[in-house]
Amino acid sequence: MLMAALVSGIYADGVTLELTLSAILTQLLGILCMFYTRGHKKEVKRKEGYIIVTLGWIVMSASGVLPYLLSGAIPDFTNAFFETISGYTTTGASILDDIEVLPKGILFWRSLTHWIGGMGIIVLAIAILPLLGIGGMQLFSAEAPGPNADKLHPRITDTAKRLWLIYVGYTAAETLFLSLAGMSFFDAINHSMATLSTGGFSTKNASLAHWNNQPLIQYIVIFFMFLAGSNFVLSYFAFKGKVQRILQDEEFKFYAGFILLFVAMTAVVIYYNANVEISEFHPMPFGAAESSFRHGLFQVIAVITTTGFVTADFTAWTSFLTVFFFGLMFIGGSAGSTAGGIKVMRHILIIKNGLLEFKRTLHPSAIIPVRFNGKTVSEHIVYNVIAFFVLYMLLFIIGALVLSAMGLDFITAVGGAASSLGNVGPAFGDLNPVSNFNGLPDLGKWWCGFLMLAGRLELFTVLILFNPYFWKRI
Amino acid sequence: MLMAALVSGIYADGVTLELTLSAILTQLLGILCMFYTRGHKKEVKRKEGYIIVTLGWIVMSASGVLPYLLSGAIPDFTNAFFETISGYTTTGASILDDIEVLPKGILFWRSLTHWIGGMGIIVLAIAILPLLGIGGMQLFSAEAPGPNADKLHPRITDTAKRLWLIYVGYTAAETLFLSLAGMSFFDAINHSMATLSTGGFSTKNASLAHWNNQPLIQYIVIFFMFLAGSNFVLSYFAFKGKVQRILQDEEFKFYAGFILLFVAMTAVVIYYNANVEISEFHPMPFGAAESSFRHGLFQVIAVITTTGFVTADFTAWTSFLTVFFFGLMFIGGSAGSTAGGIKVMRHILIIKNGLLEFKRTLHPSAIIPVRFNGKTVSEHIVYNVIAFFVLYMLLFIIGALVLSAMGLDFITAVGGAASSLGNVGPAFGDLNPVSNFNGLPDLGKWWCGFLMLAGRLELFTVLILFNPYFWKRI
């Protein structure tokens, strides 16, 4: 918040005081918490881990509303909380009808919630979720350079620091490239923070469609979205010169392969159905073919990486692409990235296990394990991953039911639930990419906020707290 | 077909000759097959089992088109095949715009395809699927009175015969009750065949809404739909006087519980949003409250049991109920019934396993098995059931994608796929309960036919044939 106050001061946008006050209030809250927990033993037990992670995100979001409320940028608490939790969970769904009128300090704070959220997710994925045994993240931890799966080893701190360095470096690089490509420095740094965290908040009302006549800017964002949705550990290897590790990584191959396949399909469908629809891409500096390719590429990567930037309304293209993008909402990026959703690694395990089930059906007595990255995956982890998938689907349908009970129509309800749970941002129907979440009733905003949080913290971390069993023996 | 010819003769509807000819042609085809397979050894291997079951349904459907084609009732092959496979898979989706103009012999044949399909499903569930090791049906087989899970024991034939007797008995009873309640004998027997098979073909254009002023008729149908969607083995126990077996059966408790809960919700929502919507129920002989209850009860049971009879357009009630009924399409009846869909037993195992995963997360080293009906379920079967669920979801999304590629809008595509795969019948959007599948393009009809077949034969039976591994070592 002090950083946002600094930005506010530089641009003299008139909210410097409010942002400083927010920072002081938050700091006071922190000191209070520290004071009351002084002298407690520092060892954290498994069950406490779930509570700390979930409460951490909620407390962050609750205190993150201060800049919005005090500056009057978002005077309503529900809206401010929605915008903040959408930021910290790197979802990027917004309730703001006019973003461009906001003071620069507030816009910066808004992007910063993404960026901080993204940093949190990296630590979570590297260090905490594998320890809590959640949704197959144990598998990922074995791939990370260093950490021991059994306890919070000092080396995990090193790993997290190294990955943060990459995260910061990528953000700086994107800011530089975007500035060079003609974006203002302020827009560049904001969009870079929203890209690397796979968040999706923009400083423009039209999101990235604002730069539809500057393809270079969009290609730069595409490139960094792709990086943000890939495993940061692979970037680490790349910088260490171990490029072959990337090509050997099964998840990366599928991640890149999925994107290639889906982009090709989307671009072709757009191009051949473009007579009417392509007009929304106007201007098309390099013609319809390049536009079809670029918008297909941009939107597929924006949805798969759960960033949710928008260059065009993918719900207005064709029936097929509407259902197709609805499906994409369930894919998600790589494990160890800042992307949300089910994630590619889990899909690989689920699909492999599904195909092996045919073999198992034919040879009931044979033991046929799933292999990933050349190693046998324990039944325990496969169970874990599949349970995650089932729970995800269950929460999706409950999410859609609750939204529909508030009067949202079919596609808005199912789309809104899928997008919130997957931390994507734009959805369908009334929540389409050129609209926003402001039209939701207050209860709907809270519910979507809950779905975002549950999705972001890999379901189990949050839902386990609703399990009576969890509290019984604490 | 000879039976249909007999009905045709009795009512002198002018298609007796065509129906007889169809019967003769089909018989000739059968004789030809018998002739060419004479002297082959009679022992059937596992792999051959899958081929026989899948081809069986396809050959039945291919020969079942004859009455439609020869009589000119459905002159187009694609349409005739769709109607027949929709009949044999007990789906009940129709391409007929005007049912009531058809000759009685043809209507009878149409209902008969349901009834024969239902008989096939009972044998499949009791005797064949457990042997082929499909989707947890092994679990069901252990509950059946008699059969040994390892080989086709003579006692299985006895069991199948006993269950068929119940099936026939229920059909006769419903026919009797419906006739007594004021339905014509012809309509009564047709609707009874469509009820017990959980099919859904009606002899009236308005389906069961034709009798909206005769609640008694609708309550009779409700009662028999409920029976048809429950495990026939339980009916067997009931007739043996072992009523406590029914109350101990976990699946039955959940089946009845789900229905109670869902009916209550639906009826309340209809009642309190009835100002406009209830008008479609007109006439309401016992007032709005009874109408809300009856239509809620009827449609919930019609969709859960995958019968698909219609008394009112559930897609026109409220947004919530539209999403809600979309969800119901994925539930399905009990194992060992004639209902399609995922089925209650699988949902129980999946939900139990999902909840246990929380315990497993807290106690990673503990072995916590799923229990069903008081017994531990082997990991192998839980795997099997979950793989079924994942495959079902995968086929659903592919199904919807293919339909949307044909230009169907979002709700029509996802609804059509869910309904076809679950063998329900009525769907959403352009395929809503008061519409039909005639508006689909030809390719769409074939695709829905494939989804019906895959869903009806518990996915694995059909999909395993597309697995290269299956053919490699045959």
Side-chain angles (χ1 to χ4, degrees), chain A residues 46-47 50 132-134 319-327 330 350-351 353-355 357-364 368 370 378-380 382-391 393-394 396-397 400-402 404-411 413-415 428 459-460 463-465 467 469-470 472-473, chain B residues 46-47 50 132-134 319-327 330 350-351 353-355 357-364 368 370 378-380 382-391 393-394 396-397 400-402 404-411 413-415 428 459-460 463-465 467 469-470 472-473:
Chain A
R46 198 181 178 86
K47 277 189 179 177
Y50 301 101
L132 299 183
I134 287 182
S319 288
F320 172 73
L321 287 180
T322 306
V323 178
F324 184 70
F325 272 87
F326 177 71
F330 289 88
I350 289 168
I351 292 170
N353 186 60
L355 292 178
E357 196 59 31
F358 285 110
K359 281 197 190 184
R360 293 193 197 112
T361 303
L362 289 175
H363 305 289
I368 307 169
V370 179
S378 80
E379 284 216 331
H380 174 70
V382 176
Y383 249 131
N384 208 221
V385 166
I386 293 179
F388 178 90
F389 177 80
V390 171
L391 205 61
M393 287 297 150
L394 201 66
F396 158 65
I397 189 78
L401 276 173
V402 171
S404 71
M406 297 170 190
L408 275 64
D409 65 20
F410 184 82
I411 192 165
V414 297
F428 298 84
L459 308 187
F460 281 93
L463 298 183
I464 207 167
L465 305 182
N467 203 321
Y469 180 84
F470 180 85
K472 225 165 49 187
R473 306 190 191 176
Chain B
R46 198 179 178 89
K47 278 190 178 177
Y50 301 100
L132 298 183
I134 288 183
S319 287
F320 172 73
L321 288 180
T322 306
V323 178
F324 184 69
F325 272 87
F326 177 71
F330 290 88
I350 289 168
I351 292 169
N353 185 59
L355 292 178
E357 197 60 31
F358 285 110
K359 281 199 189 181
R360 293 193 197 112
T361 303
L362 289 176
H363 305 289
I368 307 168
V370 178
S378 81
E379 285 216 332
H380 173 72
V382 176
Y383 249 130
N384 208 222
V385 166
I386 293 178
F388 178 91
F389 177 79
V390 170
L391 205 62
M393 286 299 152
L394 201 66
F396 158 66
I397 188 79
L401 275 174
V402 171
S404 71
M406 296 171 189
L408 276 64
D409 66 20
F410 185 81
I411 193 166
V414 298
F428 298 84
L459 306 188
F460 281 92
L463 298 181
I464 207 167
L465 304 182
N467 202 319
Y469 179 85
F470 181 86
K472 227 165 47 186
R473 305 190 192 178

Side-chain angles (χ1 to χ4, degrees), chain A residues 75-87:
Chain A
D76 177 62
F77 181 75
T78 296
N79 282 346
F81 190 84
F82 181 91
E83 200 77 6
T84 316
I85 202 162
S86 170

